[in-house]
Amino acid sequence: MGDSPSSLETGTLKRASGRARHAAIIMDGNGRWAKKRALPRAIGHQRGVEAVRRLVRGIAPMELDCLTLYAFSSENWKRSETEVDDLMNLMRKFIKSDLPEFVANDVQLKIIGDWRSLAPDIVVMLEDALAQTANGSRKLAVALNYGGQNEITRAAVKAAEQGVITTESIAANLDTADLPPLDLLIRTSGEIRLSNFLLWQAAYAEMLFVDTLWPDFKPEHLERALDDFAQRERRYGGR
Ligand code: FPP
């Protein structure tokens, strides 16, 4: 931290950001990765899960307190039944196979989104995974059946029921209320949009759009993104 030379010269209070505590990723490009290789989309998603696994294994030295991943949006139901089934089955397999590793590696699983309306067996599996990882110190938040507008609406309704509607009371009712503030939002595959992800939380987050397709994304890419973040100046609307 500390003032950059340019801010000392101009007498303003610009500061480099320091390390990010919370990064989130819109994991995009599985389908295009598969298409480029004339493979079925399902293989692209499988390789996407491998990229997730690699990343979760690789974050230990990055000093991130929280990594949030957009795994299934509330709009993804519009995909073909086969693709939705593939994604749900990958989720089942991923939780089953990687849960012991989360526990061993001090990872605390968090789920955001309207996940309780997923298939009952997935809900049970996730509840068990949440309970088993509750004491982990590094958070991995997975967005499932997630839509940012829906999250804000649900939070506003709860705040209204509690009788206080303020920025703080809505924030306190978001699915992310117990996660650190979002520092950095990354999207892969060259698309430049938020697709209803973390709309509230992105208010002051830095954004990074990279061309890499998600299955090719490696821990080094995240490391580079975090280095890039550390160089940025955040002003939160000030000068
Ligand atoms: C976007 O690729 C990706 C998704 C819709 C889902 C992301 C899911 C995974 C990485 C696998 C499941 C995750 C876990 C944690 C088990 P796309 O299909 O939109 O790609 P395209 O835009 O190239 O078609």
Side-chain angles (χ1 to χ4, degrees):
M1 296 280 250
D3 292 340
S4 65
S6 63
S7 65
L8 288 174
E9 278 157 29
T10 58
T12 57
L13 275 173
K14 297 172 188 170
R15 269 176 307 209
S17 312
R19 287 299 280 185
R21 291 182 62 207
H22 183 180
I25 309 181
I26 302 176
M27 309 181 286
D28 195 9
N30 295 347
R32 274 162 287 165
W33 185 95
K35 194 170 181 196
K36 268 171 72 177
R37 291 160 179 81
L39 293 168
R41 292 178 65 80
I43 304 289
H45 292 315
Q46 274 176 30
R47 299 297 286 263
V49 175
E50 283 166 31
V52 170
R53 183 172 292 124
R54 246 185 347 241
L55 200 61
V56 176
R57 286 181 180 155
I59 54 172
M62 294 188 204
E63 294 170 28
L64 259 187
D65 294 337
C66 182
L67 177 68
T68 298
L69 300 175
Y70 203 5
F72 193 87
S73 81
S74 44
E75 286 76 33
N76 285 154
W77 297 109
K78 294 181 201 146
R79 298 192 175 203
S80 74
E81 207 180 317
T82 315
E83 185 167 356
V84 170
D85 284 351
D86 286 342
L87 286 166
M88 292 299 153
N89 286 333
L90 282 173
M91 188 61 54
R92 290 181 175 95
K93 269 170 77 176
F94 176 66
I95 299 291
K96 214 175 191 174
S97 61
D98 288 44
L99 181 59
E101 205 174 309
F102 290 171
V103 175
N105 293 334
D106 202 23
V107 170
Q108 181 181 162
L109 187 69
K110 294 274 175 185
I111 311 288
I112 61 170
D114 189 9
W115 60 277
R116 285 195 172 80
S117 56
L118 294 175
D121 71 300
I122 297 188
V123 174
V124 168
M125 206 176 236
L126 292 173
E127 277 168 346
D128 175 52
L130 293 172
Q132 284 199 46
T133 60
N135 296 322
S137 60
R138 285 183 299 117
K139 295 184 169 89
L140 172 69
V142 180
L144 283 178
N145 198 14
Y146 176 89
Q149 292 175 338
N150 173 267
E151 181 197 24
I152 295 167
T153 308
R154 286 188 282 110
V157 168
K158 280 194 216 154
E161 284 166 2
Q162 292 156 4
V164 188
I165 306 180
T166 60
T167 307
E168 291 74 22
S169 72
I170 292 175
N173 281 294
L174 292 170
D175 298 350
T176 53
D178 58 349
L179 304 182
L182 181 65
D183 293 313
L184 176 64
L185 179 56
I186 301 167
R187 182 173 190 144
T188 61
S189 91
E191 305 290 342
I192 304 180
R193 55 178 175 271
L194 291 181
S195 297
N196 205 11
F197 190 45
L198 299 181
L199 298 180
W200 179 287
Q201 297 83 348
Y204 289 105
E206 295 291 318
M207 313 261 167
L208 185 67
F209 298 93
V210 297
D211 289 334
T212 315
L213 299 176
W214 176 250
D216 292 327
F217 197 87
K218 308 230 158 49
E220 302 88 273
H221 291 95
L222 181 58
E223 187 73 62
R224 229 175 292 148
L226 295 173
D227 288 346
D228 176 303
F229 172 88
Q231 302 307 317
R232 295 195 190 184
E233 247 171 35
R234 296 176 93 188
R235 298 199 206 122
Y236 300 95
R239 294 293 309 164

